[in-house]
Amino acid sequence: MEIEGREITQVLPALAMRGIVMFPTMTLHFDVGREQSMKAIRAAMGKDKKIFLAAQKDFTVETPENDDIYAVGVVARIVQLLNNGKNSLRIMVEGLYKAEAVRYDLTGEYYQAEVKRLYDNDVLDADDVQQEAMMRAMIHSFDEYVEMIPKMPEEIITTVLSQKTVKGMYDKIVQSLFLQVEDKQQLLEETDLAAKVGMLVSVLDRETSVMGWERDIYDQVKDSMDKNQRDYFLREQLRVISAELGEGDSPMEDSMYFSDAIQNIQHITDEAKEKLLRECDRLYRTPPQSQEGQVIRTYLETVTDLPWDTVTEDHNDVARAEKILNRDHYGMEKVKKRILESIAVRTLAPEIKGQILCLVGPPGVGKTSIAKSVAEALGRKYVRISLGGVRDEAEIRGHRKTYLGSMPGRIIDAIKQAGSRNPLILLDEIDKMSADYKGDPSSAMLEVLDPEQNVSFRDHYLEVPFDLSDVLFITTANDAGMIPGPLLDRMEMIEMSSYTREEKWHIARRHLLPKQMKKHGLTSSMLKVSKSALYALIDGYTREAGVRQLERELASVCRKAARKIVSGDAGSVSVTGKNLAELLGVPRYIDSAMEREDLVGVVNGLAWTSVGGEMLEIETIILPGTGKIQITGQLGEVMTESAQIAVSLVRSFAERYGIDPEFYKKNDIHIHAPEGAVPKDGPSAGVTMTTCLVSALSGMAVDHSVAMTGEITLHGRVLPIGGLREKSMAAYRRGIKTVFIPWDNQKDLEEIDEVVKEHIAFVPVKFVSEILDRALIKRSPVATAPALPKDKGVPEDLPAAIPGSETPAPLRAQ
């Protein structure tokens, strides 16, 4: 019926049904717990007891919107209302007719719907034969459906089969069976009876087919189930129960998760992927709380957490890299040049791999920090691995996963920590590794640092190859001689020398002092450190190759300044060379008068150590005796032999320097290297011992501004030595003006810093006589050696040089 062209509508309280579809002529009991729904029921009871029931599309939605509720529903009458408690109602409703919601109002205290009635075409345009066919089709589908549900109530079956009309049978089947909400809603919305019957038969056949497949699968599983399959079935039930209760881990779910993760890995071989999937299958079959399951789960977690496919993009910008290196480090021109060359090559040939740099130098010169700057310049992740004291091969290659507490090696752990497949890994202190009964870690490093092998690096824990060819390795060492030859052959060595006095000043001013002031909460207005104070700090409180001790002293200055400011003694602190001692105490290193004097029997030698070059003074005194030779100062076997060679050599040309040829019979000789607590060894002190012995026996002093190094032979030849750069730096720090070096070491002068060359004259020599004639002073007023017999005193004119000498003039005479 229409009024003025519009169908009659009415506004009724509405319920959004969850999981239930109401049909006309249907009586239904259900509980209501939603606050708006309970208010809608009470509103309906206060009027004509009519209420509009429509199904909710998604029953999980707690507060539905208009689009969440179907438009077609049923207008029903509330027959019975029961209060189940404070939070729910139980009602019985009776369907009246089908209706469509023209508009929903879900904003009030309860839901309302403006509905209009819908009419179905229940008259069949079919003869008796066609109706009979429809009846039989519904009965056949209903019978097959009922066979799949063994607990179907008998009264429902009887009621359905007793129907004599198509509509009656359709209504009873629809009202009695538990079909999907979507299927029932389609049946409700359909208006033609013949179409409804066809749709119902189709739905029943589909449900019957699905349940048939379920029964077949169940029967197959049941028929083929042995003890293991029975256990699996029980574990599957336990998994479901555990998942419902939220208890414990499920090996099945974990296995599926790991399997998906492994399938998504791209940068892995097919063999490795197959091996990992077999581990997933093993996990799937293990009991939830078994120890083996925990081992496999941990293994798969480790493998899948590795960045197999994660790669950071390199920033091969030479200008940017140079700016970063200059910002973070002062000096180091050779190192920076080599790194920038490497970046330039990567720009032209991005696929190039296998460049492994080894930074060799004393502690504190910036080997570790420059590696971090390189990582920033390249845009790579940075990870540092400390190899000092590592003596177990498993530290590099990992442990077998079958061992208790096993874990991957440090290389794989660094890759995991970096989170990318191409980080920069710093192998710090690679010369400090050692071997024991557990294996040789340096041998394990051969595979890591070999570009031909690390493409498929195998960690014992992973058991599958991992590609390390994209990793940029940088190693550091204090002593390259401690690195095994095969390992050293895989690296390109870059020597990092000690810092000069000027370099230390620049580093302290630009980097160390601002860093420590920021660390101690000081500003430039609170603490001022003058240029003279920095120089005094470098000269009087530090004597090192690097700058670590210098940074510690600057930190001490900052602490003392902070205390003065906080205590109110001063608003700001100004540190100069004059008041530095007030803050740090008496300088530790003072050039004594003895170091500035020409002494008899005291010679400046140069030594190489793993922490840089050092000045090594050799002292000799001659005592009346029977020809004994005493050597002290913890000298090693090589230095002891050098002392014996020096004695024999001096005997061969004793008369040239006014030495009694019988000195080895009439005198005892005592040779000592100060700082007796420090072990010393090496052949390069040969010329120093010879010069010291000649000075002590002849009474001629040695120029204090001269230092020397070189190995000596029985014929007086000076053989080449190593570590000239470090030794020259030590001479520079101690104010030496002239250094005698072996003739064959002239090629090493190219490696000497320019500032050292400016302050030191390097004199290459072939024979020890060249050093003696230049370093010894004819007469010394401070000679302390015992006087030789008068008839064997020092002659006024030196005799001819020993064979092979170039007879240069003495460096200085008094």
Side-chain angles (χ1 to χ4, degrees), residues 183-194:
D183 295 333
K184 282 196 171 185
Q185 184 66 30
Q186 288 182 0
L187 292 172
L188 176 64
E189 293 180 0
E190 181 59 47
T191 58
D192 185 70
L193 180 57

Side-chain angles (χ1 to χ4, degrees), residues 451-739:
E452 300 298 327
Q453 300 182 50
N454 63 13
V455 176
S456 57
F457 173 71
R458 285 184 177 270
D459 187 274
H460 288 161
Y461 184 83
L462 293 187
E463 298 179 348
V464 293
F466 191 92
D467 187 1
L468 297 179
S469 61
D470 291 326
V471 178
L472 177 59
F473 289 102
I474 295 182
T475 65
T476 69
N478 297 133
D479 183 3
M482 298 298 293
I483 304 175
L487 186 58
L488 188 62
D489 183 61
R490 285 162 168 77
M491 301 181 289
E492 178 183 349
M493 280 208 319
I494 299 179
E495 298 282 350
M496 298 181 65
S497 61
S498 306
Y499 289 122
T500 63
R501 182 172 182 259
E502 289 298 317
E503 287 177 332
K504 289 182 179 181
W505 180 82
H506 282 287
I507 293 171
R509 182 177 64 86
R510 295 184 182 183
H511 302 287
L512 303 184
L513 183 59
K515 174 184 173 182
Q516 291 301 323
M517 289 177 63
K518 181 179 179 181
K519 186 177 180 180
H520 290 82
L522 298 172
T523 63
S524 57
S525 61
M526 300 169 70
L527 175 63
K528 298 182 184 297
V529 181
S530 67
K531 180 178 180 179
S532 62
L534 289 177
Y535 277 124
L537 192 61
I538 294 169
D539 297 336
Y541 296 87
T542 65
R543 186 163 290 178
E544 57 179 342
V547 291
R548 285 204 179 111
Q549 182 62 33
L550 177 59
E551 184 173 9
R552 283 191 285 266
E553 295 299 333
L554 287 172
S556 178
V557 171
C558 291
R559 289 195 301 271
K560 290 174 171 55
R563 180 181 176 182
K564 285 189 174 184
I565 294 173
V566 172
S567 61
D569 295 341
S572 63
V573 177
S574 179
V575 182
T576 63
K578 295 181 179 180
N579 66 359
L580 182 63
E582 298 177 6
L583 297 175
L584 298 181
V586 178
R588 300 184 184 90
Y589 306 103
I590 302 176
D591 292 335
S592 62
M594 183 176 295
E595 291 181 346
R596 296 191 294 271
E597 293 180 357
D598 303 329
L599 301 177
V600 174
V602 180
V603 181
N604 297 323
L606 297 175
W608 180 93
T609 69
S610 61
V611 297
E614 291 291 340
M615 181 87 86
L616 180 66
E617 290 183 344
I618 301 295
E619 297 180 347
T620 301
I621 60 173
I622 308 300
L623 304 170
T626 59
K628 296 179 181 179
I629 300 176
Q630 187 175 3
I631 301 173
T632 58
Q634 286 205 52
L635 304 186
E637 183 178 351
V638 176
M639 288 190 72
T640 302
E641 291 178 353
S642 296
Q644 295 171 349
I645 293 173
V647 173
S648 299
L649 182 60
V650 172
R651 288 176 60 188
S652 68
F653 54 76
E655 293 184 355
R656 168 174 167 75
Y657 295 98
I659 300 174
D660 183 0
E662 303 294 326
F663 72 89
Y664 65 94
K665 297 180 180 179
K666 303 176 182 178
N667 300 282
D668 290 341
I669 301 173
H670 189 167
I671 301 175
H672 176 67
E675 295 191 38
V678 180
K680 311 168 191 70
D681 201 6
S684 62
V687 295
T688 310
M689 289 186 173
T690 303
T691 305
C692 187
L693 192 58
V694 171
S695 172
L697 290 169
S698 66
M700 288 188 288
V702 181
D703 190 344
H704 71 278
S705 65
V706 168
M708 60 196 71
T709 181
E711 183 178 356
I712 196 71
T713 69
L714 283 173
H715 292 279
R717 291 184 298 122
V718 180
L719 302 183
I721 46 81
L724 182 60
R725 182 199 288 122
E726 287 76 13
K727 293 177 179 179
S728 64
M729 190 65 68
Y732 170 75
R733 291 200 303 265
R734 298 294 291 270
I736 299 299
K737 302 300 181 184
T738 304
V739 174

Side-chain angles (χ1 to χ4, degrees), residues 35-55:
E35 182 67 26
Q36 294 92 333
S37 299
M38 290 191 291
K39 290 182 179 180
I41 292 172
R42 293 191 176 97
M45 292 297 292
K47 295 182 181 179
D48 55 2
K49 298 183 180 180
K50 289 183 180 181
I51 191 166
F52 180 68
L53 305 179

Side-chain angles (χ1 to χ4, degrees), residues 192-242:
D192 185 70
L193 180 57
K196 288 182 181 181
V197 172
M199 190 182 297
L200 176 61
V201 171
S202 176
V203 170
L204 290 177
D205 289 345
R206 190 186 70 228
E207 290 293 324
T208 302
S209 178
V210 171
M211 288 189 290
W213 278 107
E214 289 179 349
R215 176 172 291 185
D216 290 343
I217 294 173
Y218 178 80
D219 291 341
Q220 291 175 12
V221 172
K222 185 177 181 180
D223 293 342
S224 62
M225 186 179 296
D226 56 12
K227 182 179 183 302
N228 291 335
Q229 290 170 326
R230 177 177 177 276
D231 291 344
Y232 163 74
F233 185 76
L234 293 175
R235 286 198 301 268
E236 186 68 15
Q237 288 183 324
L238 182 60
R239 181 190 68 81
V240 175
I241 294 173
S242 298

Side-chain angles (χ1 to χ4, degrees), residues 69-101:
I69 306 174
Y70 287 110
V72 178
V74 172
V75 174
R77 177 183 288 108
I78 300 175
V79 178
Q80 188 177 23
L81 175 63
L82 297 175
N83 286 319
N84 286 345
K86 294 182 179 179
N87 298 324
S88 68
L89 296 174
R90 184 169 183 82
I91 65 172
M92 183 174 70
V93 294
E94 178 184 50
L96 299 178
Y97 54 86
K98 185 165 64 173
E100 180 182 5

